[in-house]
Amino acid sequence: MSETIDIVVPVYGGLEESRACLESLLEHGQETPFEIIVVNDASPDAALAAYVEELSGGGKVTLLTNEANIGFVGSANLGMMMHPDRDVVLLNSDTEVNGDWLDRLRRCAKAHPKAGTVTPFSNNATICSYPRFLEDNPLPAESVLAELDDLFAEVNRGRSILLPTAIGFCTYITRRCLDTTGYLDSMHFGRGYGEENDFSIRAAIAGFEHRLCGDVFVYHAGGASFGDEAASASDAAQETLRRRHPQYEPLIHSHFREDPARELRRRVDIARLAASKRRRLMLVTHRLGGGTEKFVRELAGLLEPELEVLIMRPRDMDCVGIEWARTGEEFNAFFNWPRDYGEMVGFLKDIGVERLHFHHLVEYGEQVLRLPADLGVAYDFSIHDYYSICPLYNLISTDGRYCGEPDAAGCAVCLSEHEALAGLDIDDWRGRWAGLISGADRVIVPSNDVSERLRRYFPEANFVYLPHPEAEEVIEIVSGKTGVDRLAKAGGEIRQAGVGAGQRRSIKVLVLGELSVAKGARLLEACAADAAARELPLNFRVLGWAREKLRQEPEIPLFIMGPYDDSQLDDLIERERADIIFFPALWPETYSYTLSAAMRSGLAVAAPRLGAFSERLDGYPGALLMEWDTEAADWNDLFMSQAGQAAQRQPDRSEA
């Protein structure tokens, strides 16, 4: 066997990609002797043909030129057949290499006597993709190819794992494997998709292994060879693979589930985090979704240009996960809680976390309160509900209404009515939180109502009023230019339920988001029942879902439409053409993203004079505020009175 390696590069289109590929090969010398074999598959690009001719004339590459186009697979076979005593690297023309990449691939092949193929990591290589598994990734924002490949070489030196198949963008193939398995199947896979999978299965049957080389990263642009035909070519190849190798898909799906390359990717993630020049901030939150999760995601996105943001949340009662929140990253580290607490603290110190920002601590236990001291860092605390003063977090008593925040004796009675909380001392609970909240540089609140409410319990805390980022957009819409026309409707526009004069007018009252007892599920049901009993022309629709089982149409005029995507909420509200948006909440909301959507709509907004509602709706032209304990019939009377006022302002459409 010759020590020289043939690097076979079929070319057809993509002058710039091909130039970058070949120049990267020529730029980086290797200890391993190699020969670059370019196969011009009758390229229609005269500039590309001239370029590879120039390289060949200068002795930099060996050029094979097909008189007619025979496809990628046939061209690859021609190149691999040139020297029957050499190992080969089959390389796509839209790739770029770095450093001693070939030496490292060859070292991996030599280290494993059964190796038939060796594939490196890449940004665009399905099961060999980085940073996100199975995805076509751009290069990470802060990385250039050389830096990223050098990092792979450093942290994964000598490491590899088994693969079910080679990935064809860059494949080192041993000559022994080629001699035993045969060449690529150009008859069934001539268009250039699936040929490496077919080859890999045949090689595995012959006893060869396929390995992912953990210490090499090769850039792959992807898609340049096939353009618009890529999807159809891939589908056809997959169907051929199913017919010829029925064991292939189960094998691949098993690899997907196990993802043995995860450890190799994580090592690079951690090294990149530790080397980053950005400061590191960790947000600590829960796993329950809702407005807290939305805010945390928004905050991470706003901070991304300046900071490396990590998000810590429980996975279950015995495990916490720490996620790298940068766009395009996959990193998640998991620690048993509380057994691995010390290991987790060490990890956070190693990657240089400099500050914490607490958002919610449900499911963590008391150990999390030590985290700032054990890391030796300062921290902030954002308030999203009332968990710090009550384990029920929304200040709702057993009758499903705002508790009024009684004294300690009243709290004890309330807690005793909840089996899981019976015996809990409310003073101990608040004392557990007092040190953490008082020690925060800032206790960030989204409304002044929250700070006034919490200051009674934590007078030494430094409360800072800071509305959620999207609040500025809402203020601009409501006070300015975009929503002026729609604000003319604030107060409700009567719509026709039917066609023609004399038919009853129907008033649509829209409720947004998740309905629970605290969010007013029972009050809403009572409003619909009262409307049915008094035959009021009110129609209640929930754009969202309900945790409680509620009566609905046809028994009462209430319909629950189900979950929605947040990004679609504004369009869904517009489509509903409601008259009034109603917030039947019975707890002092701290902010409410759905209130923002309601205000963006320019429609009348009915809400209790409790929590953030009265504060945020101050100055909103369509605000309809009532006391929080207002009965259902009185809410309905308000809706009807507003409808009457709107009818006086609007033409009678039934007569138009």
Side-chain angles (χ1 to χ4, degrees), residues 395-612:
L395 306 182
I396 291 290
S397 60
T398 51
D399 65 357
R401 298 158 71 88
Y402 173 48
C403 68
E405 299 177 58
D407 58 16
C411 289
V413 172
C414 179
L415 293 176
S416 69
E417 295 172 348
H418 294 79
E419 183 177 349
L421 301 174
L424 178 67
D425 185 280
I426 195 65
D427 290 328
D428 287 346
W429 176 268
R430 292 166 183 165
R432 184 186 308 170
W433 288 83
L436 188 67
I437 289 181
S438 299
D441 283 357
R442 297 171 296 179
V443 180
I444 299 169
V445 293
S447 67
N448 289 310
D449 179 85
V450 176
S451 59
E452 291 170 7
R453 205 173 293 276
L454 290 187
R455 200 181 302 277
R456 299 198 294 268
Y457 304 95
F458 309 114
E460 297 179 1
N462 178 30
F463 290 100
V464 176
Y465 169 60
L466 187 63
H468 289 0
E470 54 107 45
E472 294 182 8
E473 175 193 357
V474 174
I475 292 169
E476 180 181 345
I477 290 173
V478 170
S479 64
K481 300 66 190 175
T482 359
V484 168
D485 293 338
R486 301 180 73 187
L487 280 168
K489 300 178 182 179
E493 175 187 336
I494 299 300
R495 302 178 305 106
Q496 294 296 331
V499 179
Q503 291 187 315
R504 180 180 292 273
R505 299 178 185 276
S506 174
I507 304 159
K508 181 184 281 191
V509 180
L510 190 63
V511 177
L512 308 178
E514 175 190 355
L515 268 180
S516 62
V517 170
K519 296 282 188 179
R522 296 301 175 196
L523 174 58
L524 179 62
E525 183 182 45
C527 286
D530 175 70
R534 292 199 280 159
E535 298 185 348
L536 300 177
L538 296 173
N539 178 14
F540 296 89
R541 291 173 68 84
V542 178
L543 190 52
W545 66 104
R547 288 188 180 182
E548 307 297 311
K549 186 175 181 180
L550 304 178
R551 291 179 291 162
Q552 296 187 53
E553 295 177 346
E555 183 180 356
I556 58 175
L558 172 62
F559 181 73
I560 299 172
M561 288 176 277
Y564 56 82
D565 188 303
D566 278 352
S567 64
Q568 300 174 335
L569 182 54
D570 289 351
D571 290 338
L572 292 171
I573 293 172
E574 175 74 20
R575 191 179 308 164
E576 283 297 313
R577 299 190 61 201
D579 302 300
I580 298 170
I581 299 180
F582 179 34
F583 289 86
L586 297 176
W587 74 290
E589 289 264 18
T590 58
Y591 182 73
S592 178
Y593 277 102
T594 50
L595 176 60
S596 302
M599 295 167 73
R600 287 195 298 268
S601 77
L603 295 171
V605 177
R609 197 175 281 109
L610 180 66

Side-chain angles (χ1 to χ4, degrees), residues 225-534:
S225 301
F226 294 91
D228 294 338
E229 299 180 14
S232 60
S234 176
D235 290 345
Q238 290 301 315
E239 184 56 37
T240 302
L241 280 170
R242 290 187 193 100
R243 289 197 311 268
R244 293 172 61 83
H245 306 293
Q247 74 273 36
Y248 174 72
E249 280 193 345
L251 187 68
I252 289 294
H253 290 154
S254 175
H255 186 84
F256 291 170
R257 289 191 300 271
E258 295 172 8
D259 186 15
R262 182 188 299 111
E263 180 189 351
L264 300 177
R265 298 196 304 273
R266 291 299 81 84
R267 295 173 65 87
V268 177
D269 288 336
I270 292 170
R272 286 175 52 220
L273 264 172
S276 174
K277 295 178 182 178
R278 297 182 180 95
R279 299 179 66 188
R280 279 66 129 191
L281 167 72
M282 188 168 78
L283 312 180
V284 182
T285 187
H286 59 42
R287 59 178 174 136
L288 304 178
T292 302
E293 177 67 15
K294 182 176 174 67
F295 177 79
V296 165
R297 286 291 176 190
E298 286 181 351
L299 183 60
L302 287 169
L303 297 176
E304 183 173 311
E306 305 296 331
L307 302 174
E308 298 296 0
V309 179
L310 301 162
I311 301 176
M312 175 180 170
R313 58 170 64 83
R315 298 279 294 185
D316 53 44
M317 295 301 290
D318 300 314
C319 177
V320 297
I322 297 176
E323 168 197 351
W324 189 4
R326 180 163 293 280
T327 302
E329 300 297 341
E330 181 190 69
F331 175 80
N332 249 310
F334 303 104
F335 299 90
N336 181 278
W337 188 271
R339 187 191 66 197
D340 296 337
Y341 175 79
E343 180 185 343
M344 185 191 75
V345 169
F347 163 73
L348 294 174
K349 287 182 176 179
D350 288 345
I351 62 173
V353 169
E354 300 175 52
R355 192 174 187 88
L356 299 175
H357 189 161
F358 291 99
H359 291 270
H360 216 291
L361 300 183
V362 66
E363 297 186 330
Y364 279 102
E366 292 189 46
Q367 202 162 19
V368 73
L369 305 177
R370 293 170 29 201
L371 200 52
D374 290 344
L375 286 173
V377 299
Y379 62 96
D380 296 310
F381 201 121
S382 279
I383 300 295
H384 298 279
D385 57 31
Y386 300 101
Y387 191 62
S388 58
I389 61 173
C390 176
L392 298 174
Y393 72 83
N394 54 22
L395 306 182
I396 291 290
S397 60
T398 51
D399 65 357
R401 298 158 71 88
Y402 173 48
C403 68
E405 299 177 58
D407 58 16
C411 289
V413 172
C414 179
L415 293 176
S416 69
E417 295 172 348
H418 294 79
E419 183 177 349
L421 301 174
L424 178 67
D425 185 280
I426 195 65
D427 290 328
D428 287 346
W429 176 268
R430 292 166 183 165
R432 184 186 308 170
W433 288 83
L436 188 67
I437 289 181
S438 299
D441 283 357
R442 297 171 296 179
V443 180
I444 299 169
V445 293
S447 67
N448 289 310
D449 179 85
V450 176
S451 59
E452 291 170 7
R453 205 173 293 276
L454 290 187
R455 200 181 302 277
R456 299 198 294 268
Y457 304 95
F458 309 114
E460 297 179 1
N462 178 30
F463 290 100
V464 176
Y465 169 60
L466 187 63
H468 289 0
E470 54 107 45
E472 294 182 8
E473 175 193 357
V474 174
I475 292 169
E476 180 181 345
I477 290 173
V478 170
S479 64
K481 300 66 190 175
T482 359
V484 168
D485 293 338
R486 301 180 73 187
L487 280 168
K489 300 178 182 179
E493 175 187 336
I494 299 300
R495 302 178 305 106
Q496 294 296 331
V499 179
Q503 291 187 315
R504 180 180 292 273
R505 299 178 185 276
S506 174
I507 304 159
K508 181 184 281 191
V509 180
L510 190 63
V511 177
L512 308 178
E514 175 190 355
L515 268 180
S516 62
V517 170
K519 296 282 188 179
R522 296 301 175 196
L523 174 58
L524 179 62
E525 183 182 45
C527 286
D530 175 70
R534 292 199 280 159

